[in-house]
Amino acid sequence: MGQRMTRRQVEEGLNLYEEKNYDAAIKKWTISLQKMKSNRLRFSTLGHLASASRDRGRNKDYLVYAVQQIDIAHELDDNNLRAQAYLTLARANEMLADYFKAVSYARSTLQYSPPGGSIQGYAVLTMADSYIGLCNFSKVVECLDKALIISHENVDHLMEVQVLSTMGKVYLALKDFSKAHAYQRRALEMALSNAAFNDGQNVNVTSKFVRLTKLKLATPLRLMGDFENANKYVEEAMGAASSLGDRPVQAKCLVCIGDIQRSQNNNEVACKKYEAAIQMLQDMNDRYSYTLAMIGLVKAFLALNTQKQTANEILATALSTSTSMGNKLLQARCHLLNERMLKLDHQLEEARRVLDTAQRLYQEADLLCSVCKTSMGMQPDRIQILPCTHMFHERCIMDLLQKWTHQAQPCPKCNQNVLFSRSYIALLCS
């Protein structure tokens, strides 16, 4: 009788969550967990709590529940449960910007899950997001190619949305804004289509991806100078996130709105947005977005020519945080911003030294075009990624691209003869 009541409480929690009564659902699951005797029921309930913690921005709780899940999976000696728990562990560590651990746990997911199943696709996607954090873009593309194949084999449209969106993040990091926009636009179109034809199941999940892709589309639009549409999409994402209590998306929207305001020289408004976002992101332990918000705030302070000491302190924190994450591009961005500040103070020798450090970080991230020997991602440019995953300025390999329609061509870096694979063609948006 007692266990039947416990199962009913779990179901009631699921109903409350579907009704967007999130805190009541979490309370219901937490109370029922204390009375559970079945390890399998404990495992699934911990999964509900983990998902709820992720959606509410409680990233450390997300990790705690994942650790408890893996203990149960080992106790039951169940590989399917191990795969699920390792995937949750991987995702939690990726959100906490502990990227090496995330990759390791994602590999464990692949080890314990059936080949070609959706769970393998999501594990590879988590690896791709982690490799973005580590600035290993060749690995990102390799993982996305695998995830795309799995998404097609399993007819998993939400997985494909994430593949497209993550590829957009790659081009955004490389400052090819038109390709970043193309990928995010396609991701949004697919997310909207999926939501429109949703049969009533997973409504919360599909709506989440709609607001996430709107948010991600706003950034390349801003960087291309389309402030009207950038503002439109981020406001729509913010409105949906606010109505649902989606704090992670709310915080990221604040950063994006700050960026848009700063780009339009509304720097005082931008500062307020960044400051609000920084507090939220710090509470959520989202180190990556926290660093982006700090960099934006420093830029706004520089534009206002105010609070120089505070700007220096914030930039030092941003550099320290990006270094602890192992993200070379964020470190380089901090050094380039520091170079600007040093030039303003006429410390030209120190500015040159800092610029050298930034350029070295781009080279360490393997972002040196092997044709022209200059860095990719320091300035806006068109970038081309070959199927062997090597990257070049598009202008540097234009002859190769023009010959590609007739026969395989050697990659200028690895000399491998490469043709577009079927899955790779499906990724192309330009």
Side-chain angles (χ1 to χ4, degrees):
M1 179 70 178
Q3 290 306 291
R4 282 202 298 271
M5 179 69 74
T6 302
R7 289 178 186 277
R8 192 168 73 185
Q9 285 182 320
V10 174
E11 291 298 322
E12 288 172 357
L14 288 170
N15 291 333
L16 286 167
Y17 207 78
E18 286 296 318
E19 294 166 2
K20 303 177 179 57
N21 197 344
Y22 305 120
D23 291 333
I26 291 169
K27 184 178 179 180
K28 183 80 71 173
W29 289 326
T30 304
I31 292 171
S32 65
L33 197 63
Q34 298 167 4
K35 306 171 187 176
M36 283 180 194
K37 295 179 182 177
S38 166
N39 269 340
R40 292 188 181 277
L41 184 57
R42 285 182 65 82
F43 185 93
S44 62
T45 305
L46 286 166
H48 300 324
L49 284 165
S51 297
S53 298
R54 177 196 62 204
D55 293 344
R56 304 292 282 168
R58 300 170 184 170
N59 292 334
K60 286 193 173 179
D61 289 344
Y62 186 25
L63 181 62
V64 168
Y65 292 128
V67 170
Q68 292 180 41
Q69 275 194 314
I70 199 65
D71 288 342
I72 293 172
H74 289 325
E75 186 178 338
L76 293 172
D77 194 22
D78 187 317
N79 283 345
N80 286 329
L81 296 187
R82 281 194 182 102
Q84 292 176 47
Y86 277 126
L87 178 58
T88 306
L89 271 172
R91 286 170 161 171
N93 278 283
E94 190 275 325
M95 293 179 79
L96 291 164
D98 202 336
Y99 299 122
F100 288 109
K101 282 186 180 179
V103 170
S104 177
Y105 287 129
R107 285 175 177 157
S108 295
T109 304
L110 297 176
Q111 177 185 347
Y112 289 110
S113 57
S118 281
I119 193 168
Q120 291 218 332
Y122 288 108
V124 173
L125 265 173
T126 304
M127 292 173 71
D129 283 327
S130 300
Y131 282 128
I132 285 182
L134 295 169
C135 304
N136 189 337
F137 295 107
S138 290
K139 282 287 187 183
V140 176
V141 176
E142 180 184 317
C143 289
L144 291 179
D145 202 30
K146 292 176 182 177
L148 186 68
I149 293 170
I150 294 171
S151 73
H152 289 169
E153 289 175 348
N154 290 272
V155 197
D156 191 329
H157 300 303
L158 286 180
M159 187 186 298
E160 189 170 357
V161 168
Q162 291 173 76
V163 170
L164 291 167
S165 184
T166 304
M167 198 65 193
K169 286 170 63 178
V170 170
Y171 280 111
L172 186 64
L174 298 174
K175 294 195 173 182
D176 186 336
F177 302 138
S178 62
K179 281 195 178 78
H181 170 259
Y183 277 101
Q184 298 297 1
R185 187 189 67 244
R186 272 192 62 187
L188 177 58
E189 289 168 355
M190 185 168 287
L192 288 168
S193 175
N194 195 61
F197 291 99
N198 190 279
D199 60 2
Q201 295 181 337
N202 299 320
V203 173
N204 286 342
V205 176
T206 54
S207 65
K208 176 182 177 180
F209 280 106
V210 169
R211 58 184 179 271
L212 271 172
T213 50
K214 284 182 177 180
L215 165 61
K216 291 176 181 178
L217 180 57
T219 296
L221 284 169
R222 172 185 71 86
L223 291 165
M224 293 167 69
D226 188 350
F227 301 126
E228 182 179 352
N229 279 314
N231 198 61
K232 170 181 173 287
Y233 283 119
V234 75
E235 290 292 350
E236 288 177 1
M238 184 61 147
S242 299
S243 67
L244 297 169
D246 185 344
R247 293 183 73 245
V249 172
Q250 281 180 275
K252 291 171 185 176
C253 283
L254 285 170
V255 178
C256 187
I257 293 169
D259 290 339
I260 294 168
Q261 293 297 323
R262 177 173 54 79
S263 297
Q264 296 178 292
N265 294 317
N266 299 322
N267 289 291
E268 291 182 355
V269 176
C271 286
K272 292 177 181 177
K273 301 297 181 183
Y274 290 133
E275 287 165 351
I278 285 169
Q279 183 61 56
M280 292 177 71
L281 293 164
Q282 195 170 22
D283 291 344
M284 287 185 275
N285 296 286
D286 183 344
R287 291 190 291 167
Y288 184 85
S289 300
Y290 173 62
T291 304
L292 291 179
M294 286 191 287
I295 290 172
L297 182 57
V298 171
K299 289 180 178 179
F301 281 153
L302 283 179
L304 291 168
N305 195 26
T306 186
Q307 301 194 50
K308 290 184 179 179
Q309 182 60 37
T310 303
N312 275 309
E313 292 170 0
I314 293 171
L315 186 57
T317 303
L319 178 58
S320 174
T321 306
S322 58
T323 302
S324 70
M325 289 188 288
N327 189 301
K328 295 183 187 299
L329 287 195
L330 283 183
Q331 291 174 57
R333 288 179 62 181
C334 289
H335 285 298
L336 290 172
L337 195 48
N338 192 24
E339 182 210 13
R340 279 177 54 191
M341 297 169 74
L342 289 166
K343 282 182 174 179
L344 290 172
D345 286 340
H346 306 291
Q347 299 181 46
L348 301 183
E349 187 61 36
E350 182 65 14
R352 279 192 291 271
R353 187 189 66 79
V354 169
L355 176 60
D356 288 342
T357 301
Q359 291 173 330
R360 174 178 54 78
L361 285 163
Y362 276 95
Q363 291 180 26
E364 289 177 3
D366 200 20
L367 290 177
L368 191 71
C369 176
S370 59
V371 177
C372 67
K373 309 301 181 186
T374 60
S375 296
M376 296 174 284
M378 287 189 75
Q379 301 294 334
D381 212 331
R382 298 279 294 183
I383 303 297
Q384 185 67 50
I385 304 175
L386 303 188
C388 56
T389 74
H390 292 131
M391 305 174 194
F392 306 89
H393 294 113
E394 192 171 278
R395 63 179 181 276
C396 294
I397 58 168
M398 190 58 69
D399 288 345
L400 181 149
L401 295 175
Q402 289 171 347
K403 294 175 183 176
W404 223 332
T405 55
H406 307 294
Q407 59 186 352
Q409 296 296 318
C411 167
K413 187 168 184 177
C414 67
N415 209 36
Q416 175 186 341
N417 279 337
V418 286
L419 279 170
F420 284 131
S421 68
R422 176 177 57 82
S423 57
Y424 202 86
I425 289 173
L427 272 173
L428 296 179
C429 284
S430 58

